[in-house]
Amino acid sequence: MRTELKDGERLDELHRNGFQIIQNEKLFCFGMDAVLLSGFAQVPDGGRALDLGTGTGIIPILLAAKTAGSYFAGLEISAVSADMAKRSVLHNGLEQRVEIIQGDIKEAGELFAPASFDTVTSNPPYMIGQHGLVNPDIEKAAARHEILCTLEDVVRAAARLVRPGGKFYMVHRPFRLAEIIRTLSEYRLEPKRMRLVYPYVDREPNMVLIEALRGGRPRMTVEKPLIVYERPGVYTPEITEIYGY
């Protein structure tokens, strides 16, 4: 089936199961953080997963390729991004496993039944108002800055929708780590696993991957560092494996 692309759109290879994704170069496109989160998150066989703020659907599509989950939902507030995500689902023949819903994370508790997912993921906006320049394009700005939702909004939704004993996975920035752990604990999502991502072995980390367990007891494992580049332009073997090259 030939997929019709709208002005400015393109089809990008995902290197998993022959899947492709529709993106618009004029809008916010997914980055390495989403790919790393899809490699860090776990979905039980036959399980149900929800991605909060799914953008163009990258995480549900990758999780559908990498896991044996039965149902993957993506919640996205932007009508433009949700439309691209829905068409990507159809393009890849995933309509029996992946569903894209347009809606607000702050209203997620009304869109889905409580405790109805085994796994919840999110690649939320990293920056608050005083951090960095805000892009004048609202689509790009909302992807990077907490304009339409906050960290607490995301965690609150995840805590409501993941089942007891289920897991919440998030990728974020290390400079907000203390706030992240505090907020997770406030909503009884106990941090259980963490991995810091370094662009190079001798640089500071620029991403953190976190797994939290709903109702878990305090005890967290800090995994070995994930290094992205061996040298400029050359991924480490682990990154190459995560991408599926």
Side-chain angles (χ1 to χ4, degrees), residues 4 9 26 56-57 69 75 93 112 124 169 178 192 205 222 238:
E4 294 292 335
E9 291 182 346
K26 299 176 184 176
T56 54
L75 179 63
F112 304 98
Y169 295 90
K192 302 298 290 182
V222 179
E238 188 169 9

Side-chain angles (χ1 to χ4, degrees), residues 103-157:
D104 193 332
I105 286 173
K106 296 190 289 293
E107 299 172 357
E110 302 166 20
L111 297 171
F112 304 98
S116 57
F117 291 94
D118 303 286
T119 299
V120 176
T121 59
S122 187
N123 176 15
Y126 297 144
M127 306 298 183
I128 55 180
Q130 66 266 36
H131 293 149
L133 297 174
V134 178
N135 196 298
D137 184 298
I138 186 61
E139 295 270 349
K140 293 182 179 180
R144 296 187 176 98
H145 281 76
E146 292 187 346
I147 295 172
L148 301 180
C149 71
T150 65
L151 171 65
E152 186 171 8
D153 291 332
V154 173
V155 173
R156 182 190 299 114

Side-chain angles (χ1 to χ4, degrees), residues 31 33 70 99 212:
D33 42 9
S70 63
E99 182 180 14

